Amino acid sequence: MKKFSISLMIVAIVAMFAQGVWAGDAEDLMKKSHMAYYYAGDDGLSKVTMKIINKKGKERIREFTMLRLDITEGGEQKYYTYFKKPSDVSRLTFMVWKNPDANDDRWLYVPAVDLIKRLSADDKNSSFVGSDFSYEDVSGRHWTEDTHTIVSENETVNDRAAFLISSKPKQEKDSFSEKKTWIDKETFLPLKEEYYNDKGKLFRIFTADKIEEIDGIITITQRTMENVKKKQRTTIIFDSIEYNVGMKENIFTERYLKNPPRKYIK
Amino acid sequence: MNLRKISLIILLLVGLWNISGTSMAQELYWGGFVEGLWGAGIDDNNPTGRDYPVAETRLQLRLESFGDNAEVFGRIDFVQDGFDSSNYDVDLREAYIKFSVNSVNMDFKVGRQILTWGTGDLIFINDVFAKDYQSFLIGRQDQYLKAPQTAVRVEWYTGLGSFTVVGIPDFEPNITPTGDRLSFFHPNKGKIVGAADYMAPVEPDNKFENSEVAFNYSRMVKGFTLAGYAYRGFYKSPVGFDPVGYRVFYPRLNVFGASLRGQVYGGILWLEGGYFDSREDRDGNNYFIENSSMKGLVGFERQVATDLTANLQFSYEQMVDYDQYETSHTQASDFAISMGMPAPVKAEETRTLVTSRWTKMLNSQTITISLFGFYSPSEEDAYVRFSAEYKYSDELSLMAGGNIFDGKDPYTQWGQFTLNDNLYLKINYGF
């Protein structure tokens, strides 16, 4: 009993300390979460399987390899995607230069016609390859686009202690009117997100389904976005991830768009 | 292509694969599709005399193997033409080896390949590589607009930008309507004709000095891609006629041009221009060979709503030495009339073209509705292509579409196809 109260006291002290250190600023938490989720390591190489499951349970599958390089921490990033499946997009490559202060630059290469196409990137909310994830979900919505408030500091998601943050877009017309995010107290990764429309109705749910440590970095290796209205969901499974592989910036150019860097893409 | 050629190519590919085995992953990737395409002509009295411009089953196979610095790729189509039941065709779309020499930042691509550059959306100025307009007009997949060529492509990447040289030893023309699947305007007959009146053009002799060379320089400047182009070769369409030898041919051509493409106002803007130097009629006084010309285009594309993209393009073409052309036209007219032939068509000095593309995706991008329209204010003709595609699953898709032509005169670019309006159905299974 005595032992128990001591450990309880320690837990309470740690909790208070943790709160004192971390609970101060909602925006700071969102920033940390964004960094943990989108800027892990200096670069990342992942093999991804994406399953789009419609309301009838029918599955569509996309397989691709994704390369990411951070140019500035929390700022510019470059992405490269090589599609393997399905057959009609096989060998297609896609490149994004993400710029949080301006529109992204996007390129698509269609090998069957040797064509490099520049894509307009005005609408970040359009679906990424027909999935329930938008372009913004894949490359990240900058935390400064919303105002954040801490709703609760004592939440639990899948046995993990979490903060609950409410975010509202600064811009009047946006893809949602409120987003609730459950942020893991230990890793700052988003464990769950709920998106509400202007009528206050829940329309999208994000969940971190599987969390693993990879190269010393805690990573969400399986995630799902559910479209409540369409009764459809998309699960992204990272079949493999490597961090800090030493990618060079010149990989993210038209040269490699046409000639996939086979060192990374098998 | 005959069987011996094909087996030779397959042998060569296997050989290359083995030679490069040391730097290659030992895995061979493959895939492809099976496709059925049926197209129906909807105009009466088409001189082709056939109701179905296309009825075919196609099997495409892709083979690929690669290592860190080299890659072997092959893509071959087996086609059964349902119109002519005895006709089987093999089309080697691509068969190349690609390798990098990283110490000098160079990439090489050697073999049969598809080549594309330039910025226009279905309008080509500096892209002088072979095209298959026949496939384009009867409902085959967009990829068939580009015809393969056997070539060597060398790309050199430097701090100043990238330099590309393409050498094409064997001349490969555009595939244009022959009157069999699609009727077309015959200048000497002065009317739209079918296969009976088709004159097969004479290709340049297969010798070293007739090799085509294309050059491209490109670099990124503040998010814009700037490019310069040069080409020495031939017109890819038979725009030359020899009244003495009574033959149609591909005149010699040089092209010099430039382009710019980048992001503006949340969309993509592109600009391209080129000078076509008609080397066999530099003064423009031979009516039977295309005059030199200047061509330019500007386009803008943006997303107008979620999963709805639209673009608009203007192009302008001006004939050089129009005075000479007019004089030569008068002479040609006198000659034709004296021979009892219809007076030849007189082209305008300038030609304008407006195009617009609309693409809408629905139902989690499993349905794609597409519309592309060409309209020429100067020639008063138009061409509209539209399609709706439904992806039933990752493997199976269905498509219905059409190609509709209209024009005031039968001799303009689209006006000559007015009897070729067609609707088609396509079913595709990918693996």
Side-chain angles (χ1 to χ4, degrees):
Chain A
M1 191 62 201
K2 203 176 172 184
K3 252 189 189 164
F4 178 71
S5 12
I6 289 171
S7 42
L8 202 72
M9 255 173 71
I10 292 169
V11 168
I13 289 164
V14 168
M16 275 163 66
F17 179 70
Q19 278 190 17
V21 173
W22 303 120
D25 188 4
E27 178 158 327
D28 191 49
L29 274 172
M30 286 306 281
K31 181 183 170 183
K32 284 202 173 79
S33 176
H34 189 85
M35 296 304 292
Y37 188 38
Y38 292 105
Y39 289 84
D42 296 327
D43 61 40
L45 167 63
S46 46
K47 281 190 183 168
V48 183
T49 301
M50 188 184 242
K51 290 182 182 172
I52 305 162
I53 303 147
N54 75 6
K55 62 181 170 196
K56 289 176 192 152
K58 198 160 109 182
E59 268 187 22
R60 288 187 292 140
I61 295 190
R62 274 104 192 77
E63 272 176 39
F64 51 89
T65 301
M66 200 179 228
L67 280 65
R68 166 184 56 88
L69 177 69
D70 301 345
I71 308 298
T72 52
E73 270 301 288
E76 278 178 55
Q77 285 180 316
K78 292 184 175 176
Y79 287 86
Y80 182 105
T81 308
Y82 176 90
F83 287 92
K84 285 180 194 158
K85 279 183 185 167
S87 174
D88 62 337
V89 296
S90 159
R91 302 171 70 241
L92 210 89
T93 54
F94 175 63
M95 182 167 77
V96 179
W97 290 4
K98 181 183 138 188
N99 184 352
D101 301 323
N103 279 327
D104 297 346
D105 286 304
R106 293 185 200 159
W107 290 260
L108 182 73
Y109 176 67
V110 188
V113 281
D114 187 39
L115 175 74
I116 292 180
K117 208 172 150 26
R118 284 287 291 261
L119 302 178
S120 60
D122 197 31
D123 186 2
K124 293 180 179 177
N125 301 311
S126 52
S127 152
F128 179 69
V129 295
S131 76
D132 297 292
F133 287 88
S134 66
Y135 280 95
E136 192 173 69
D137 297 327
V138 175
S139 67
R141 179 182 173 90
H142 209 257
W143 66 88
T144 54
E145 288 184 50
D146 309 310
T147 52
H148 312 281
T149 45
I150 298 173
V151 178
S152 160
E153 295 175 14
N154 299 303
E155 297 279 314
T156 313
V157 180
N158 295 334
D159 298 328
R160 297 183 80 103
F163 299 108
L164 171 57
I165 311 255
S166 161
S167 310
K168 287 180 176 158
K170 290 175 183 170
Q171 201 180 296
E172 224 169 80
K173 276 219 156 209
D174 215 315
S175 54
F176 59 86
S177 67
E178 190 193 356
K179 178 174 75 169
K180 289 181 182 166
T181 312
W182 282 262
I183 293 178
D184 186 8
K185 286 191 176 176
E186 190 190 325
T187 63
F188 299 105
L189 288 171
L191 300 173
K192 188 179 175 188
E193 290 170 348
E194 290 179 353
Y195 293 80
Y196 294 85
N197 66 14
D198 47 9
K199 291 180 186 107
K201 222 176 148 189
L202 176 67
F203 70 97
R204 285 200 328 155
I205 304 167
F206 166 89
T207 47
D209 308 329
K210 202 169 173 188
I211 296 174
E212 289 173 87
E213 187 178 325
I214 287 153
D215 299 342
I217 294 169
I218 311 284
T219 306
I220 301 172
T221 54
Q222 185 177 323
R223 61 190 67 165
T224 298
M225 185 70 83
E226 185 188 336
N227 186 318
V228 177
K229 200 179 139 200
K230 279 195 204 162
K231 293 184 181 145
Q232 178 173 292
R233 65 181 196 277
T234 300
T235 298
I236 294 179
I237 301 152
F238 287 86
D239 301 313
S240 73
I241 307 185
E242 286 173 70
Y243 290 112
N244 301 321
V245 296
M247 255 171 237
K248 299 244 167 61
E249 199 176 341
N250 74 356
I251 296 283
F252 301 87
T253 55
E254 289 190 4
R255 175 185 186 181
Y256 290 97
L257 197 66
K258 282 196 284 185
N259 306 294
R262 295 298 182 187
K263 200 168 136 190
Y264 303 118
I265 296 161
K266 301 284 184 215
Chain B
M1 203 183 317
N2 61 31
L3 214 67
R4 227 179 58 194
K5 252 187 181 172
I6 296 156
S7 38
L8 205 79
I9 287 156
I10 291 169
L11 261 172
L12 191 75
L13 273 176
V14 172
L16 279 172
W17 185 46
N18 282 332
I19 292 161
S20 49
T22 44
S23 69
M24 289 278 160
Q26 286 308 307
E27 228 168 321
L28 187 67
Y29 295 87
W30 67 285
F33 63 78
V34 180
E35 185 172 271
L37 168 65
W38 302 273
I42 54 173
D43 292 309
D44 296 330
N45 310 320
N46 190 345
T48 57
R50 69 192 259 186
D51 293 334
Y52 301 96
V54 61
E56 65 190 22
T57 311
R58 182 182 292 268
L59 166 70
Q60 180 174 96
L61 287 177
R62 294 190 300 258
L63 275 175
E64 178 179 30
S65 183
F66 48 79
D68 279 3
N69 292 313
E71 180 175 329
V72 178
F73 182 77
R75 196 150 60 95
I76 192 162
D77 279 21
F78 301 89
V79 190
Q80 191 265 328
D81 189 339
F83 178 76
D84 181 358
S85 57
S86 64
N87 199 353
Y88 290 82
D89 201 8
V90 179
D91 182 10
L92 186 69
R93 301 285 301 165
E94 287 177 277
Y96 61 78
I97 179 155
K98 200 160 85 171
F99 55 95
S100 301
V101 182
N102 288 321
S103 55
V104 286
N105 281 317
M106 287 172 96
D107 292 339
F108 295 81
K109 190 175 177 183
V110 182
R112 196 147 180 87
Q113 54 188 294
I114 307 279
L115 293 151
T116 300
W117 61 39
T119 61
D121 188 3
L122 302 181
I123 303 181
F124 305 100
I125 296 178
N126 292 294
D127 181 336
V128 285
F129 305 113
K131 290 166 200 82
D132 179 353
Y133 287 106
Q134 178 169 271
S135 290
F136 182 66
L137 302 174
I138 59 175
R140 289 195 183 122
Q141 285 185 36
D142 286 355
Q143 61 165 291
Y144 293 100
L145 171 59
K146 300 295 295 196
Q149 292 178 283
T150 302
V152 178
R153 185 180 81 182
V154 182
E155 294 173 302
W156 182 39
Y157 298 89
T158 74
L160 292 171
S162 60
F163 298 85
T164 306
V165 180
V166 177
I168 304 163
D170 189 13
F171 176 80
E172 198 97 38
N174 288 344
I175 299 167
T176 48
T178 59
D180 175 30
R181 293 173 188 276
L182 298 166
S183 53
F184 65 99
F185 181 78
H186 195 305
N188 295 351
K189 308 265 175 207
K191 61 175 186 179
I192 294 170
V193 299
D197 291 308
Y198 176 68
M199 266 173 79
V202 179
E203 288 188 22
D205 290 339
N206 197 353
K207 52 186 180 185
F208 181 72
E209 66 210 61
N210 283 346
S211 302
E212 299 169 71
V213 186
F215 174 82
N216 169 241
Y217 165 76
S218 107
R219 75 172 293 175
M220 285 278 289
V221 182
K222 294 188 173 166
F224 281 82
T225 307
L226 264 169
Y229 310 85
Y231 168 74
R232 186 179 189 280
F234 299 85
Y235 280 96
K236 289 289 168 78
S237 291
V239 293
F241 175 64
D242 168 11
V244 180
Y246 207 75
R247 57 185 196 115
V248 178
F249 68 102
Y250 304 92
R252 289 176 189 279
L253 170 73
N254 289 341
V255 182
F256 306 96
S259 73
L260 178 75
R261 181 164 63 177
Q263 199 170 184
V264 174
Y265 295 115
I268 304 297
L269 175 79
W270 60 93
L271 276 163
E272 186 169 337
Y275 177 71
F276 278 55
D277 171 19
S278 182
R279 281 154 57 201
E280 293 181 49
D281 184 23
R282 279 212 162 109
D283 304 325
N285 51 22
N286 183 345
Y287 172 80
F288 297 105
I289 295 178
E290 182 124 324
N291 270 26
S292 297
S293 59
M294 319 255 279
K295 297 181 185 188
L297 67 83
V298 55
F300 183 71
E301 174 169 300
R302 70 168 296 171
Q303 273 180 298
V304 288
T306 298
D307 286 331
L308 176 63
T309 308
N311 77 23
L312 192 62
Q313 253 183 161
F314 293 93
S315 96
Y316 179 82
E317 216 179 298
Q318 175 153 18
M319 194 191 288
V320 175
D321 301 317
Y322 193 66
D323 296 347
Q324 305 280 10
Y325 174 80
E326 281 184 308
T327 312
S328 69
H329 174 260
T330 310
Q331 289 163 357
S333 293
D334 294 346
F335 173 75
I337 290 159
S338 74
M339 298 289 286
M341 292 194 297
V345 172
K346 187 174 164 191
E348 301 281 331
E349 185 176 6
T350 61
R351 177 165 181 261
T352 50
L353 188 62
V354 184
T355 76
S356 186
R357 180 195 286 273
W358 292 77
T359 310
K360 172 71 184 165
M361 293 203 272
L362 298 157
N363 196 29
S364 296
Q365 300 182 1
T366 53
I367 296 172
T368 306
I369 295 167
S370 166
L371 180 77
F372 195 105
F374 295 85
Y375 169 69
S376 169
S378 62
E379 303 203 312
E380 294 181 67
D381 64 349
Y383 167 34
V384 176
R385 34 193 288 124
F386 55 88
S387 66
E389 185 187 23
Y390 172 54
K391 286 201 166 90
Y392 173 77
S393 67
D394 282 337
E395 293 81 23
L396 189 65
S397 70
L398 293 161
M399 191 193 248
N403 295 284
I404 306 295
F405 309 89
D406 197 14
K408 197 181 93 193
D409 301 305
Y411 50 78
T412 58
Q413 185 179 18
W414 308 123
Q416 66 176 317
F417 299 133
T418 45
L419 297 174
N420 292 316
D421 294 343
N422 63 79
L423 299 174
Y424 62 84
L425 268 176
K426 201 155 48 182
I427 181 163
N428 183 296
Y429 185 88
F431 52 85

